[in-house]
Amino acid sequence: MTPFGRVKSVAAPLPESDIDTDVIFPARFLLLLDKAGLGKHLFNERRYDRAGKPRPDFILNQPPFETARILVAGQRFGSGSSREQAVWALADFGFACVIAPSFGEIFYTNCFKNGVLAIRMDETSHRALLQASQAGDIVTVDLERQRVSWTSGAVSFDIDAYRRRALLEGLDEIAQTLSDDSGAIDDFEARWSSRAPWVQIEGQHAAPDGGKDTP
Amino acid sequence: MSIGRNAPGDHRTGAMGRTLYDKVWDDHTVKGYPDGSCLLYIDRHLVQEVSSPQAFAGLRQAGRKVRRSAANIAVADHAIATGGARRLAPDGLAALQLRRLEDNARDFAVPYIPVSDPRHGIVHVIGPELGFTLPGVTLVCGDSHTCTHGAFGALAFGIGASECEHVLATQTLRQSRQKRMRVRLEGVMPDGVAIKDVSLALISRIGTGGGTGHAIEYAGSAIPALPMEARMTLCNMSVEAGSRVGMVAPDERTFAYLEGRRMAPRGVLWERALDHWRGLPSDPDAVFDRDVAIDLGKLAPYVTWGTNPSEAVPVNGRIPDPASETDAGRRGRLARSLDYMALEPGMRVEDIGIDRVFIGSCTNSRIDDLRAAARVAAGRKVSARVRAMVVPGSAAVRMQAEAEGLDRIFRDAGFDWREAGCSMCVAMNEDRLAPGQRCASTSNRNFEGRQGVGGRTHLMSPAMAAAAAIAGHLADVRSFLS
């Protein structure tokens, strides 16, 4: 994962609440198998009309926001489906940071796995930032200093220390778990399988015999 | 309904009772990190075609193996057709996705259940049917409705594809403990009221973010009598309240459901498992951060009118009026929902005509759900203006329903009787709404476009959906039962 640098950009305001992951990335595009190139389907139904032409009233079709790297979203942004495609599409479009009063939990986690910084912001600061975004202010997000600033304001934000480090260093979390914790996982497995041997299913699944077939 | 907030307790000191959630969490803690998060061991992983291709691609790219193949089951449910030639011979992108799942399962030695197999079905229906889902285990899947399995007292939650990859490679996830929320169900549901109505009533009151940051445990005097199917529906809908986790403590009903299933323990192991499982329910002195109580006796059947599951009212109610909403943000949201749903403020819910009916999905496609719908459909006819379908959640549910003659009841009434899959819950297979079509649906999400671009979804219970199919409009199922 690419390390997260400072982001300085216009911020696209999308204040509507409850933008779920079906709106961010409609289900029919989930048939695509790759992470790359999904940005063109981001907010598909909001962004394009039925003929595929950009809707001029949608914020990402309006200059200067089509190049925004920061999205200022509404409450519970990314609720619903666990589809990580929603984050891949945002990142592919060019977003490095999403700021909202609250997020869908799985979406929030998915952001950090893909180098996208998700910031929970209190509603008062969020309102001020939204106004600045709508005015086309250049917004700076500094993860190192945990600060968002714009022409007339600035606010600090909280973030889990591990997630912050993972973003700043572009950490490969799987590699880290494998290198740091493999021994602990081995030990746990040995302990757990002697304490709860019924949990182990090696060999059982293939057994075609027996077992009730009632639903 | 009453809502209370309790003083948060420190659940890690061991000085006070522990909740079901904490017991399963503690059992699976591989190690703790200085920031309070934990590396959690994952016992079970359900792998489906939509969220797994990129995870396996990541493993390949890094030259990594699956740590414990037998801890997984791979099955396709989202993209498959529920009938016709394309069910077994899909084409286009769906064929590529299915083949990718098969290839990955073979290459990484992950047990795979083909679409033609009698064990096939929606991941969240077959996990319990196979006895893959057990009390006290941790279970994940790249699907938000994984909370369904909490009905068995499993700690089960949905994850993204990157986390799927982490589980495949390490059998663990780094997680932070949630706060605990207890939802107490008291009293008895009146006839015509189903557990889906309890979920919709709950979400309409606490909101789609009401459970965020919390693991829900459903408790209260109504739980012991709830069949496992109803518990699964209840836990399934937890994520629509914002919570990744919804659990019910295992009891004799849980054990009776599981005993003898293909992958459930047997003999001495079954006895040892029972001993462990009987210790899982929350201690009497366990503290919850938040408590909610619902009086089931006072509930009516619910339907959603808007574009998120909290926008729900009793079926004998009316569509809300944005003009009476004082908060500008909520007013805008309401107006937008009404505009998308093409509804007028103040109109009666029962005056809303429908075009389609979908009975199915991981929420409501189990045998009890089909029985409830069949009870309404028996001896009646689907309205001429409606196309209605019933999609059993698994091959086993379908067989059982046919053994009971439910398929006959549905077919005679004019319902289309389909084969298992996610079907019209999610618009990524052949079953979907055309733009502007309105559907009475037993699924879990009424989001814009969820059932098809421009489609309009009203969520409700299986019996309510059957009543709507007959009436041709949203209808109070209670008038069908007298």
Side-chain angles (χ1 to χ4, degrees), chain B residues 51-65:
Chain B
S51 51
S52 69
Q54 304 82 2
F56 284 112
L59 291 182
R60 273 204 182 83
Q61 202 179 348
R64 289 173 184 142
K65 294 192 175 75

Side-chain angles (χ1 to χ4, degrees), chain A residues 5 8 14 16 19-20 38-39 48 63 90 92-94 109 121 134 142 168 172 178 186 206:
Chain A
K8 195 171 176 186
L14 188 64
E16 187 183 325
I19 297 272
D20 55 71
L38 301 184
Y48 310 106
L90 283 164
D92 187 55
F93 182 89
T109 300
M121 188 175 277
Q134 279 156 346
D142 188 336
L168 286 173
D172 178 341
L178 288 172
D186 290 343

